[in-house]
Amino acid sequence: MNKNWISLGLMSGTSGDGVDASLIKTNGLDEYKVLADKYFEYDFNIYRDIHTLKEKIHNISHLADFNSELNDLERKITIFHAEIIKDFKIDDETIVGFHGQTIYHNFKEKISRQLGNGKLLGQLTKKKIVYDFRRNDILNGGQGAPLTPVFHHLLALQHNINLPVCFLNIGGISNITIVKEKNNFSDLFSKDLGPGNCLIDSWVRKNSNKKFDEAGNLALSGTKNEIIFEQAQELYSNRESKEKKSFDTNDFDISFARGLSLEDGVTTLTDFTNLSHFFN
């Protein structure tokens, strides 16, 4: 008989606006049940510092240049997560999965820097903390995203989905998982496709006091700039990065949309984001 675990997963994606927390019961193979879901929004200072630093870090040397600021922000993020764990009032047997906040990711350089101190979180909460998922995956030959395809495989099994099946996950970066066989983890195929919401979110942050395009209302009210759209399409289709299986948000930028209004920029970037998936 398979053992069941209670696990609290803590995840902050590339939007960097807060933490999604899910308490689940699972056998670790093909069954899980959600016990509770909550979202915890970062305070303004953490949110601002995440995006300010991320926009400054474009290569591995920048991690050293901004080491002091990164360490300070990492401590704040870790303390924020500690308060979330206290909110759930879990027992000592519950496993806590701590992803942290991705600030720089490059699998070719074998580095994925997540802001979040797992040892400190364990000391603050006295709980069992599992962390450094991405770095461990890269060091073992992966692309740095080990959990998503495993979860997609579990979904296919638990819901008896006919195989093969393709899962599309749209976060800051969009990625797919193709599940071909029921009991063959080695045959899972997963890769990033390109930008998800990262370009749209970045444009909205820089051109308004909003964090994202809620319900797509800005995109619906704007007009796509055909000239800029075609130029961006041609630029991206010729990029060497389209061959990559793993992206960071810094692999993309919104400079080609400068000069557009808030609404027209969102509309153009939304259409570009949608089309960019077909290049892969």
Side-chain angles (χ1 to χ4, degrees), residues 109-246:
E109 297 174 336
K110 292 194 176 299
I111 184 168
S112 190
R113 178 74 161 92
Q114 271 70 53
L115 298 184
N117 188 322
K119 292 183 179 179
L120 175 59
L121 187 62
Q123 293 170 357
L124 292 172
T125 62
K126 310 301 181 186
K127 305 301 180 186
K128 300 175 182 178
I129 312 295
V130 182
Y131 58 100
D132 266 354
F133 308 112
R134 302 192 78 173
R135 185 171 68 173
N136 286 340
D137 185 61
I138 287 176
L139 293 177
N140 285 280
Q143 302 281 323
L147 298 182
T148 301
V150 174
F151 180 63
H152 287 160
H153 182 265
L154 187 156
L155 286 176
L157 297 184
Q158 180 157 312
H159 295 283
N160 296 312
I161 298 174
N162 291 330
L163 303 180
V165 63
C166 177
F167 289 87
L168 170 63
N169 176 53
I170 304 176
I173 300 293
S174 291
N175 57 73
I176 59 168
T177 301
I178 298 177
V179 182
K180 297 181 180 180
E181 297 182 21
K182 181 176 180 180
N183 297 314
N184 190 353
F185 284 95
S186 64
D187 203 31
L188 285 176
F189 175 81
S190 182
K191 68 169 291 184
D192 288 344
L193 293 180
N197 292 303
C198 64
L199 298 179
I200 303 163
D201 288 352
S202 179
W203 178 265
V204 171
R205 284 197 306 271
K206 291 177 181 296
N207 292 280
S208 74
N209 60 358
K210 302 177 184 296
K211 294 180 179 180
F212 61 97
D213 181 15
E214 186 171 1
N217 289 325
L218 293 173
L220 288 171
S221 63
T223 301
K224 179 174 68 175
N225 186 297
E226 295 289 352
I227 295 175
I228 289 178
F229 177 80
E230 290 178 7
Q231 290 174 341
Q233 178 182 338
E234 181 178 358
L235 174 65
Y236 183 73
S237 64
N238 292 324
R239 284 181 58 173
E240 180 181 354
S241 64
K242 68 178 181 177
E243 301 298 329
K244 293 172 65 175
K245 290 186 178 180
S246 180

Side-chain angles (χ1 to χ4, degrees), residues 29-62:
L29 295 172
D30 57 5
E31 295 179 3
Y32 86 102
K33 179 181 179 181
V34 176
L35 304 178
D37 279 327
K38 289 186 180 181
Y39 170 71
F40 298 83
E41 186 176 8
Y42 281 138
D43 64 50
F44 174 77
N45 290 332
I46 292 179
Y47 174 79
R48 177 199 59 200
D49 292 347
I50 287 172
H51 292 287
T52 299
L53 275 172
K54 192 161 180 59
E55 290 179 3
K56 293 178 180 178
I57 297 172
H58 299 284
N59 59 62
I60 194 170
S61 67
H62 292 159

Side-chain angles (χ1 to χ4, degrees), residues 17-21 38-42 80 83-84 87-88:
D17 56 1
V19 177
D20 289 302
K38 289 186 180 181
Y39 170 71
F40 298 83
E41 186 176 8
Y42 281 138
F80 186 90
E83 294 301 314
I84 294 174
D87 184 273
F88 274 84

